[in-house]
Amino acid sequence: MTAQPPLTDPYRRRLSYLRLSVTDLCNYRCTYCLPNGYQGKAKPDELSLPEIQTLVNVFAAAGTRKIRLTGGEPTLRRDLADIIAACKANPLIENVALTTNAFRLAQLFPAYRAAGLDKINISVDSFDPDTFFQITGKRECANILRALDDILDSGFYGVKVNTLLLRRYAGRTLQDALAFVRARPVTLRFIELMQTGDNGAFFNSQHLSAAEIERGLQEQGWQLAPRQPHAGPAREYFHRDFAGSIGFIAPYSQDFCKSCNRLRVTAQGKMHLCLFGGIAYDLRPFLRAGDEHGLRQYLHQTIAEKPEHHYLHDKKVGLITNLSMTGG
């Protein structure tokens, strides 16, 4: 494939980070996303491995350097190790990451690591087993934390923990998070609750701005770390007395979108230029045909439509009904 100019939007932002959902299916019942559980079975039209290989080749040639595999719950795909290997096989891809609820992680992780996984983000919305069950509908907290420690003990340090910031549990969760990272070399990121098409009432009662917590940490000596190349939107803080770090993903903060470097593709091959955009661009015809040239042209045409920022402050959530659709 001939060299192409990197994907750059009208606001001079380089799009080097692809979030690829491999399934909508999820086995949790999180209060903030799918409180009644996923309805039905996995859709039969999930991207196939050859389609994913075509997608990766084109995006890599267009400047993508990091791919994050998401869902739904991506580990529910039996061929996930093959997908990781396909992403890693492209020499232009520098990092392959996975976001997971960590169900059966102890059994599955060795295969993912052997396939070339570089980084893993594990969702732990509470360190208290009862609270974890209240949020997720699963009694998996102890198993997940045990698997996480085993991963660290094996020498794999590309671990981050994602914790949703919910007003009801925030005080206890913050203290547990600080205790957790004191001796563990992991980054724990608090993620602000985002409004979607079907969580309006929950959002209004449970949304909490990260700004106050962030200021509190700064007063306790936590310092902002430099942003790494191809990184996501988190602001991450370090402290000399802690082995790990604390981060914040705050989509309602000022200038959140200023450094956006991400594109998202759903498990059905629809591209979202913004998580909360109103248009899904269909890449499937190119992927089914293995048409790398056509897809390359389409990407460079479409990127001109990427918006400068989202409109969450105006309660405009676009096409996103729940976060299992695109992995957040």
Side-chain angles (χ1 to χ4, degrees), residues 109 113 148-159 185:
F109 179 75
R113 186 176 185 180
L148 194 157
D149 280 336
D150 288 344
I151 289 172
L152 293 174
D153 289 343
S154 75
F156 185 92
Y157 298 122
V159 179

Side-chain angles (χ1 to χ4, degrees), residues 127 148-149 152 157-161 174 176-190 217 220-225 235-248:
F127 295 89
L148 194 157
D149 280 336
L152 293 174
Y157 298 122
V159 179
K160 293 184 178 180
V161 173
L174 175 60
D176 289 346
L178 290 171
F180 186 79
V181 302
R182 182 174 288 277
R184 293 177 177 87
V186 303
T187 298
L188 187 146
R189 293 107 54 85
F190 285 106
L217 290 183
Q220 296 171 31
W222 289 79
Q223 300 180 50
L224 186 64
R235 296 190 299 270
E236 296 185 357
Y237 290 81
F238 67 94
H239 192 291
R240 64 182 182 181
D241 296 332
F242 289 76
S245 56
I246 295 287
F248 298 91

Side-chain angles (χ1 to χ4, degrees), residues 46-114:
E46 293 173 344
L47 291 175
S48 67
L49 185 59
E51 288 175 320
I52 290 173
Q53 289 172 324
T54 297
L55 183 78
V56 170
N57 287 342
V58 173
F59 271 79
T64 294
R65 297 297 175 260
K66 177 179 178 180
I67 296 177
R68 177 169 300 282
L69 302 173
T70 70
E73 174 45 43
T75 64
L76 296 179
R77 275 198 63 155
R78 295 181 179 180
D79 61 348
L80 182 59
D82 295 329
I83 294 173
I84 293 170
C87 295
K88 192 65 177 178
N90 190 299
L92 295 176
I93 300 300
E94 298 172 7
N95 285 294
V96 179
L98 172 67
T99 295
T100 174
N101 64 27
F103 185 76
R104 294 182 61 219
L105 182 63
Q107 297 93 331
L108 297 171
F109 179 75
Y112 301 156
R113 186 176 185 180

Side-chain angles (χ1 to χ4, degrees), residues 245-276:
S245 56
I246 295 287
F248 298 91
I249 298 177
Y252 292 87
S253 63
Q254 186 177 8
D255 293 332
F256 177 77
C257 300
K258 186 176 181 179
S259 60
C260 182
N261 60 353
R262 297 172 301 290
L263 293 169
R264 292 172 171 84
V265 175
T266 71
Q268 288 73 42
K270 301 292 180 62
M271 182 172 67
H272 292 248
L273 300 179
C274 172
L275 176 59
F276 296 99

Side-chain angles (χ1 to χ4, degrees), residues 167 193-196 199-208 252 315:
R167 179 180 297 277
L193 178 65
M194 292 174 277
Q195 186 167 0
T196 60
N199 76 347
F202 186 88
F203 174 85
N204 290 334
S205 66
Q206 293 301 321
H207 177 260
L208 179 66
Y252 292 87
K315 303 292 185 180

